[in-house]
Structure formats: C-alpha cells, structure tokens
C-alpha cells in the first residue's frame, strides 16, 4: 500500500523563530546566514537527520536506498512516524533542527511564514530539481508568497468506489453515484440504504464528512479559500449548499452518528470490508484504498469512477506530503540532494518496477503510483499492463483521470487554524449542534481573523 498521509490538526506557535533570508542564485542563507553551495555533482559528507519519514513499505525502501547511494558518505538518520509539529518547531527554536522534514503539503505555508523552513530557490537551481515536472496543484500548495518552500511528492486523490451488485439491484449505475447529479445521488442513496426498525444494515452512500467538504464545495463551483490564500470563503452560499447536501445524505439514513458508528464497525482493511460484505453502496475514497481492496477482496462486486462536479466534469481534492529544509540546519546541501533524488523520475520508476514485481509475485494487480511528479506519473503508467479485469482496469483509468483533474487549497500562513475552523463547523452540524448557515458564518469569522493575523505578521517580518 502507498504510504498514508498523516495530517496534524494544529500547529503550535513557538516564539523566537526568525525568517531565513531568501536564497539567491546558487547560494543562499540557509544556516545562520552563511552562504550554502548546492551542486548536484558535489561530494557530500556530514550527517542528515530526517524527521517525519519512515520505511513503511517497499516504495519508501526502494527510493530511500537510491537516495543513500546518491549521498555517498552522508550519515542518514530517520525519525520515523508522522511529523511531530511541536517537536519540530521546538527544535528549530532551540537552534538544533533536523536537516530535512517530511510534512503534509498543507502545513508548508505556516512553516514558511514562521521562518521554520527556508525557500528552495538555490536548492532547486543547484541540484537541478525539475520543478516544471511537478503537478501544478501540488507545487502551488508548497509555494508561499511566490517562492517554493518544499519539494512535493505523492498525490492522493479520491475516486468514486461502489458496490456493483447493490447498484444493479436498485436499477442504478456508477453514474448515479459519481456526483454529476446531486438529485440522482440522493435518490440512489435512498434506493440502496437499508435500515430495519432504525437499525442500519446498508449505508447507501457515505459523503465522507467532515474531511471532504472541500470536495463538495468545489463540485458546487467554489472553494473554501481564495486562490491567493488570503480570504476565507466559508460562508459562500455555494459552500453552505454543499454542506447542506452532504449532511442531508446522512440525515436520510438515520443521521451521521448512526452512519458513522456502523461504518466504524466494518473490517475496513480486511476481507470483511463494507464492499465485500455488501454493507455500503458507494463513497468517495482516496485511491490508495484500491490496493487494499485488491489485496483482501479482489473478487468483490466493485466498480470505480472519478468523482464529478455538477457539470459532469471529473474533479479530485488532492493532498500529499513534501520535503522541506528547516532554517539554521547544518547540512542543507545533503537535505536538498536527498529531496531531489527521492522525487525524480528514475527513482519513482525504480520503485514502481519493484512494486509491480512484488504484486505480480503475489498474484495481484499493479495499479500504479501517483507521485506528484507528472513526468514520473506518465513513466509509471507505462509500466501498467491490462489485467484482464474490467473492474481493475477501470479503476486504473479512473485513478489517472482523477489525477489529471486534481485541485488543492493554496498555501497560507494559518493553515491549521483555517482547517480547524471549517472542520469544527462541519462537526457541529453533523452532531446536531448547529445549522449549516450558522456554523459556517461562525467559522468564517474565526478563519478570516486567523488569516488576517497571520498575513499581517508575515508582512511585518518582511518590512
């Protein structure tokens, strides 16, 4: 399985962080004001401490091995597990940061605005990182105030996943649940839903709240924040309508608490998953779940499609991680080399070839990798062979179509506070504590105040 993307829900402010100077040319102030030379042909030494990355699967292990070869005599140490934000910011404030971090892309704006990481202008030029190869939404998410602050990798996108038998029994197709018609989707939910005397036995459709509000809003023609990352749009009528619809999907099945309790009881990663047992009609779900289903229930009655907006166009709310170099670190040149090698085309192809061989050896289907690098994605896709199964070949086709139609929310200096505001609003509605309009108006005030304050601090630091 592709590594999951962990997302922290808050960023802890640490006093004393100062902005690193902007890198220029082939040298930049990356370590206490000293000029650093980045050169893809240079021999490197010293140590490289990486925080937030682990060797949890074959793809990580293959790529890490290639990066170690490129680093030569550099002593590499990993602090595995999801990035501990408080630990990281404390390390920066204390003057003893790691050389490299592996962070969620939507944390990069905050880290950049607080001076916790450095711009990568010099790193990109010196190591020859082909930034034009990266997917535009991924690169935009790590670009703050006009400068790239991290090297993106992986792209996680949702697909429509459905039980073909439940659809057929209700006289439906996957087109009724891909989101192109909200009216058809609501009707399909009711047609597949089963609840006997208040006891839920089949979830017709799971709209995946709170995390997918950005997806539903985008499908309705808007986004939660302006493209420049400065203006919250949580009380936009289109966002309110999207939340009303997505919550209404649960209300028609006994309410969110009942649906959540039932879905949480499923053997999500095992043979008794909700598709294999016929207890879920359809849902939008991240593409990494394809591998889970192919491993544990390859013969389940499945069908896949992209998620579509209300005009019938494919969309995908993308997320992923990225490599960033902390301020005042001792070995930024090694950090830059590692980030470059881990995300370049040849490395991804080697990892994909290893993954393909492993899956074929287990009698399973290789469904590709979404790397965040468009050139690498194309090369990896070339390794995929028809499986002979319409289900899994259709899944792969949907995966790549979604990837080509992905969007992300822009970098901003208050990403954690912004996300907390809208997620709290959604949860208050799901739990029956507020109506959508009321909840989103309150969230709008909180989110905009956080954005205004964070942008003002950034601008003051730049003055």
């Amino acid at each position: 399985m592709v590594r999951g993307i962990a997302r922290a829900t808050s960023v802890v402010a640490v006093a004393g962080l100062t902005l690193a100077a902007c890198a220029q040319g082939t040298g930049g102030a990356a370590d206490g004001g000293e000029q650093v030379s980045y050169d893809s042909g240079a021999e490197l030494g010293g140590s490289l401490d990486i925080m937030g990355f682990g060797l949890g699967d074959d793809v990580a292990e293959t790529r890490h091995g290639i990066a170690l070869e490129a680093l030569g005599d550099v002593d590499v140490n990993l602090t595995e597990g999801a990035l501990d934000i408080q630990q990281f910011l404390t390390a920066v404030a204390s003057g003893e940061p790691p050389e490299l971090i592996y962070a969620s892309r939507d944390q990069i704006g905050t880290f950049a605005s607080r001076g916790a990481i450095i711009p990568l202008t010099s790193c990109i030029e010196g190591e020859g990182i082909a930034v034009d190869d990266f997917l535009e939404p991924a690169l935009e998410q790590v670009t703050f105030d006009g400068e790239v602050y991290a090297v993106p990798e992986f792209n996680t996108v949702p697909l429509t996943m459905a039980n073909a038998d439940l659809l057929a029994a209700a006289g439906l197709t996957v087109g009724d649940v891909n989101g192109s018609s909200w009216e058809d989707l609501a009707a399909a939910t009711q047609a597949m839903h089963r609840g006997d005397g208040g006891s839920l036995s089949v979830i017709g459709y799971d709209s995946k709240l709170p995390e997918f509000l950005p997806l539903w809003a985008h499908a309705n023609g808007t986004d939660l924040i302006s493209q420049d990352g400065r203006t919250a749009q949580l009380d936009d009528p289109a966002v309110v309508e999207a939340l009303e619809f997505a919550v209404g999907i649960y209300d028609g099945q006994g309410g969110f608490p009942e649906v959540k309790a039932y879905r949480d009881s499923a053997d999500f990663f095992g043979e008794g998953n909700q598709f294999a047992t016929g207890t879920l009609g359809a849902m939008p779900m991240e593409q990494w779940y394809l591998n889970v289903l192919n491993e544990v229930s390859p013969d389940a009655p499945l069908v896949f499609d992209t998620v579509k907006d209300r005009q019938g166009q494919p969309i995908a709310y993308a997320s992923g991680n990225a490599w960033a170099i902390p301020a005042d670190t001792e070995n930024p040149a090694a950090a830059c080399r590692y980030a470059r090698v881990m995300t370049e085309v040849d490395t991804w192809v080697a990892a994909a070839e290893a993954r393909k061989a492993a899956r074929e050896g287990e009698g399973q289907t290789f469904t590709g990798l979404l790397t965040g690098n468009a050139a690498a994605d194309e090369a990896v896709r070339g390794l995929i062979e028809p499986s002979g199964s319409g289900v899994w070949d259709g899944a792969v086709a949907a995966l790549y179509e979604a990837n080509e139609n992905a969007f992300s929310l822009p970098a901003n200096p208050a990403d954690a506070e912004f996300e907390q505001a809208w997620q709290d609003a959604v949860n208050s509605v799901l739990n029956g504590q507020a109506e959508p309009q009321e909840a989103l108006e309150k969230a709008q005030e909180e989110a905009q105040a956080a954005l205004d304050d964070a942008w003002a601090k950034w601008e003051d630091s730049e003055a």
Side-chain angles (χ1 to χ4, degrees), residues 26 28 30-31 34-48 67 70-71 74 99-100 118 120 122-124 126-127 129 325-326 329-341:
T26 57
D31 55 349
E34 297 179 10
Q35 294 296 306
V36 177
S37 177
Y38 298 96
D39 180 354
S40 61
E43 293 186 7
L44 303 175
S47 62
L48 176 65
L71 287 169
V74 176
E99 275 69 43
L100 188 64
I118 63 170
L120 300 185
S122 299
C123 162
I124 289 167
E127 279 289 336
I129 297 174
I325 301 177
T329 191
E330 294 185 356
N331 200 352
C336 184
R337 174 77 54 83
Y338 187 92
R340 188 259 295 172
V341 176

Side-chain angles (χ1 to χ4, degrees), residues 48-195:
L48 176 65
D49 293 332
I50 302 173
M51 183 180 289
F53 179 73
L55 305 180
D57 63 15
D58 56 324
V59 173
E61 290 173 357
T62 299
R63 294 161 56 235
H64 178 69
I66 294 171
L68 290 182
E69 291 182 8
L71 287 169
D73 293 332
V74 176
D75 180 22
V76 179
N77 304 292
L78 303 180
T79 301
E80 300 198 25
L83 181 69
D84 185 317
I85 299 174
Q86 183 172 3
Q87 181 185 6
F88 164 58
L89 292 179
T90 299
V92 173
S94 69
E96 297 182 353
E99 275 69 43
L100 188 64
I101 62 168
Y102 188 62
S104 177
R105 294 199 302 250
D106 60 6
Q107 297 168 344
I108 297 302
T110 289
F111 290 162
S113 71
R114 294 180 179 178
I117 58 177
I118 63 170
L120 300 185
T121 305
S122 299
C123 162
I124 289 167
E125 292 178 359
E127 279 289 336
I129 297 174
V131 291
D132 290 343
D133 286 347
F134 291 100
L135 293 172
E136 185 175 347
L139 194 62
E140 287 178 348
Q141 205 171 21
V142 298
T143 301
F144 179 73
D145 200 33
E147 290 211 69
V148 176
Y149 276 82
V151 181
E153 71 157 46
F154 283 119
N155 210 44
T156 302
V157 296
L159 305 177
T160 296
M161 305 187 182
N163 182 299
D165 287 352
L166 289 175
L167 288 173
L172 304 169
T173 71
V174 70
D176 294 301
V177 293
N178 64 13
S180 55
S181 167
W182 285 6
E183 294 74 19
D184 289 350
L185 179 50
T189 300
Q190 291 305 306
M192 291 187 288
H193 161 257
R194 295 289 180 272

Side-chain angles (χ1 to χ4, degrees), residues 40-417:
S40 61
E43 293 186 7
L44 303 175
S47 62
L48 176 65
D49 293 332
I50 302 173
M51 183 180 289
F53 179 73
L55 305 180
D57 63 15
D58 56 324
V59 173
E61 290 173 357
T62 299
R63 294 161 56 235
H64 178 69
I66 294 171
L68 290 182
E69 291 182 8
L71 287 169
D73 293 332
V74 176
D75 180 22
V76 179
N77 304 292
L78 303 180
T79 301
E80 300 198 25
L83 181 69
D84 185 317
I85 299 174
Q86 183 172 3
Q87 181 185 6
F88 164 58
L89 292 179
T90 299
V92 173
S94 69
E96 297 182 353
E99 275 69 43
L100 188 64
I101 62 168
Y102 188 62
S104 177
R105 294 199 302 250
D106 60 6
Q107 297 168 344
I108 297 302
T110 289
F111 290 162
S113 71
R114 294 180 179 178
I117 58 177
I118 63 170
L120 300 185
T121 305
S122 299
C123 162
I124 289 167
E125 292 178 359
E127 279 289 336
I129 297 174
V131 291
D132 290 343
D133 286 347
F134 291 100
L135 293 172
E136 185 175 347
L139 194 62
E140 287 178 348
Q141 205 171 21
V142 298
T143 301
F144 179 73
D145 200 33
E147 290 211 69
V148 176
Y149 276 82
V151 181
E153 71 157 46
F154 283 119
N155 210 44
T156 302
V157 296
L159 305 177
T160 296
M161 305 187 182
N163 182 299
D165 287 352
L166 289 175
L167 288 173
L172 304 169
T173 71
V174 70
D176 294 301
V177 293
N178 64 13
S180 55
S181 167
W182 285 6
E183 294 74 19
D184 289 350
L185 179 50
T189 300
Q190 291 305 306
M192 291 187 288
H193 161 257
R194 295 289 180 272
D196 183 13
S199 177
L200 188 61
S201 59
V202 177
I203 299 171
Y205 186 87
D206 185 350
S207 52
K208 292 296 295 295
L209 292 180
E211 61 266 34
F212 278 175
L213 177 63
L215 180 70
W216 292 109
H218 194 81
N220 206 29
T222 192
D223 288 307
L224 303 189
I225 190 171
S226 62
Q227 191 58 41
D228 63 6
R230 290 178 176 269
T231 306
Q233 300 175 161
L234 301 179
D235 60 352
D236 184 311
V239 178
V240 176
E241 183 183 25
L243 180 56
E244 289 172 341
F245 172 76
V247 172
I249 291 294
Y250 293 124
D251 291 342
Q253 302 179 87
F256 177 73
E258 183 172 345
V259 173
K260 184 178 186 302
Y262 191 56
R263 79 181 185 192
D264 289 350
S265 68
D267 181 20
F268 192 77
F269 292 99
E271 296 179 358
N273 65 77
Q274 57 271 55
F275 288 121
T277 57
T279 56
L280 172 65
M283 67 175 175
M285 182 62 197
E286 290 89 344
Q287 94 280 354
W288 55 261
Y289 197 50
L290 291 178
N291 282 341
V292 175
L293 295 173
N294 187 255
E295 289 173 5
V296 302
S297 53
D299 298 322
L302 293 162
V303 61
F304 302 95
D305 197 357
T306 56
V307 178
K308 291 182 166 55
D309 65 17
R310 300 184 77 176
Q311 284 69 51
Q313 299 303 308
I315 58 171
Y317 173 45
S319 60
N321 276 24
W323 298 102
I325 301 177
D328 299 322
T329 191
E330 294 185 356
N331 200 352
C336 184
R337 174 77 54 83
Y338 187 92
R340 188 259 295 172
V341 176
M342 288 289 283
T343 58
E344 62 188 0
V345 174
D346 288 349
T347 305
W348 282 117
V349 170
E353 288 174 339
R355 165 66 62 85
K356 179 182 178 181
R359 293 190 68 79
E360 288 179 347
E362 297 168 354
Q364 297 169 348
T365 301
F366 174 61
T367 57
L369 296 172
L370 298 184
T371 70
N373 182 318
D377 286 343
E378 183 177 357
V380 171
R381 189 174 187 179
L383 299 175
I384 301 174
E385 299 173 356
S387 68
S389 164
V391 170
W392 297 108
D393 291 344
V396 170
L399 179 154
Y400 281 98
E401 184 178 20
N403 196 48
E404 292 168 359
N405 292 276
F407 73 95
S408 297
L409 300 184
N412 73 78
D415 53 39
E417 295 90 339

